[in-house]
Amino acid sequence: MPDTNQLFTLDRLDPQVVALHEGMQAQGLVSADPLAMPLHEARAAAERSHVFLNRNAPAIRTEEIEAAGPAGPLRLRLYRPPGGEGRPLPALVYFHGGGFVVNSVDTHDRLLRLLAVRSGAVVVAVAYGRAPEHRFPHQHDEALAALRWVARHGTSHGLDSGRIAVGGDSAGANLALGAALAARAPGEPRVSFGFLFYGMFAHDFHTPSHRRFGDGRYGLTTARMRWYWGQYLGHGETTRDPRAAPLLADLSGLPPLLLLAAGLDCLRDDSLRLAERLAAADVPYDLTVYESLPHSFASMTRLVEAADGAVTRAALAVRRHLGT
């Protein structure tokens, strides 16, 4: 395992990511590693780090909603783009990353605001239950419940329930893809588009990207991914359930998808393999690998131009597909 103080100093990494990490270190911020600290401390570290990352976010109106979930109330936060008053706006249902274990709607606040402003859609951010307090299929069921809320109750909150996109990063990309798959069933809300940042799509740690980047030299480790999956799935025989591992699902009938992968990421090949399966299923997709960026780059928009450009690309794709 490389020295954690040297994780972000390798030549292949975008220099702005190196500078960002150095700035965080200068402020005494540490990585949220649940393998190196108790879980409550890792969650607190993630929240503190994202306060730094979220500075200077656009000031837009938000609304807190309590919706009916599969096992109790489900908290949603609506981010409204400017200039949309007086007419129904499309909805982008977004699921944050964090291995199903850490992070929150708050850690992703800047990203969510940017997506709303740049897409022209209302971002419906889902505060799903985290593992290990809640385990699969709880999160999958809450993701589908969020879509159903938009379809059934969105109009009373200024949403156009006929124009819905999904998005997510890492574990959230897993939930976004799983929700889009579930939404193909008769009577479920229609999803028109989806974008997926560096998703974790299968319980597989033997890909070339895990072998190449799983030691943590660019941040995320294979060991941490194994632990996240364990917290999410528990000890049941669920590793091949397509609701948990959507890479294994029948992908036919999905809406167009935009895949945005990190080149320096042990999860890179999850996106590459998903692209291959989408092509085989005749699902329209677009794949971009950001070769000099690590996992979690969508949270680095304040200081990393390439990350900001990737978020803009996702937002403009939403705008194009939802007609905003």
Side-chain angles (χ1 to χ4, degrees):
M1 183 72 66
D3 182 348
T4 55
N5 292 323
Q6 301 299 319
L7 290 183
F8 293 92
T9 60
L10 302 184
D11 292 342
R12 294 187 60 191
L13 198 60
D14 187 312
Q16 291 183 327
V17 178
V18 177
L20 178 151
H21 184 68
E22 290 173 346
M24 294 178 69
Q25 284 188 324
Q27 297 199 21
L29 298 172
V30 298
S31 297
D33 185 355
L35 298 186
M37 60 185 72
L39 179 54
H40 73 278
E41 291 184 12
R43 287 173 171 169
E47 299 291 333
R48 288 192 296 270
S49 296
H50 281 83
V51 170
F52 172 86
L53 296 170
N54 285 335
R55 291 176 186 169
N56 303 321
I60 59 174
R61 188 158 61 96
T62 64
E63 179 183 1
E64 301 289 337
I65 301 291
E66 191 172 272
L74 174 61
R75 187 169 64 87
L76 309 173
R77 182 181 297 167
L78 276 56
Y79 290 80
R80 299 187 179 278
E85 295 77 7
R87 57 189 173 90
L89 295 177
L92 166 58
V93 183
Y94 193 88
F95 306 93
H96 68 81
F100 302 105
V101 175
V102 298
N103 293 340
S104 65
V105 171
D106 290 334
T107 61
H108 284 55
D109 184 71
R110 178 184 172 87
L111 170 61
L112 298 167
R113 290 172 183 270
L114 292 177
L115 288 170
V117 169
R118 296 175 185 178
S119 72
V122 176
V123 175
V124 180
V126 184
Y128 58 86
R130 296 180 298 187
E133 296 91 338
H134 302 280
R135 287 197 160 119
F136 172 81
H138 180 91
Q139 293 84 349
H140 171 84
D141 294 344
E142 287 193 324
L144 186 55
L147 289 185
R148 290 170 176 164
W149 179 88
V150 171
R152 297 169 184 173
H153 305 287
T155 53
S156 62
H157 295 270
L159 305 182
D160 182 346
S161 59
R163 292 188 290 167
I164 303 174
V166 295
D169 61 285
S170 195
N174 176 304
L175 295 177
L177 180 56
L181 288 165
R184 298 173 302 177
E188 297 294 357
R190 178 177 176 271
V191 174
S192 300
F193 175 68
F195 67 85
L196 309 170
F197 285 112
Y198 38 81
M200 51 183 289
F201 299 128
H203 185 272
D204 183 356
F205 314 109
H206 302 289
T207 63
S209 60
H210 268 292
R211 291 195 296 270
R212 188 171 184 183
F213 305 120
D215 62 359
R217 68 187 65 192
Y218 296 109
L220 185 63
T221 68
T222 297
R224 198 185 305 178
M225 286 308 309
R226 288 182 183 275
W227 186 85
Y228 284 146
W229 276 106
Q231 300 304 302
Y232 180 44
L233 300 179
H235 300 292
E237 296 298 323
T238 55
T239 60
R240 299 196 63 80
D241 188 319
R243 296 173 300 164
L247 183 64
L248 307 180
D250 172 8
L251 303 179
S252 60
L254 280 171
L257 294 175
L258 173 62
L259 314 182
L260 305 110
L264 305 177
D265 180 8
C266 62
L267 292 185
R268 179 199 63 189
D269 290 357
D270 281 44
S271 293
L272 301 186
R273 293 165 69 194
L274 178 60
E276 292 176 353
R277 295 221 52 234
L278 291 171
D282 293 323
V283 175
Y285 77 92
D286 190 2
L287 167 69
T288 297
V289 180
Y290 292 83
E291 297 291 354
S292 64
L293 295 182
H295 195 77
S296 298
F297 67 73
S299 294
M300 302 177 184
T301 55
R302 184 170 70 87
L303 296 169
V304 180
E305 292 177 6
D308 191 66
V311 170
T312 296
R313 184 174 182 199
L316 293 181
V318 171
R319 182 181 291 272
R320 182 170 64 255
H321 283 276
L322 297 188
T324 58

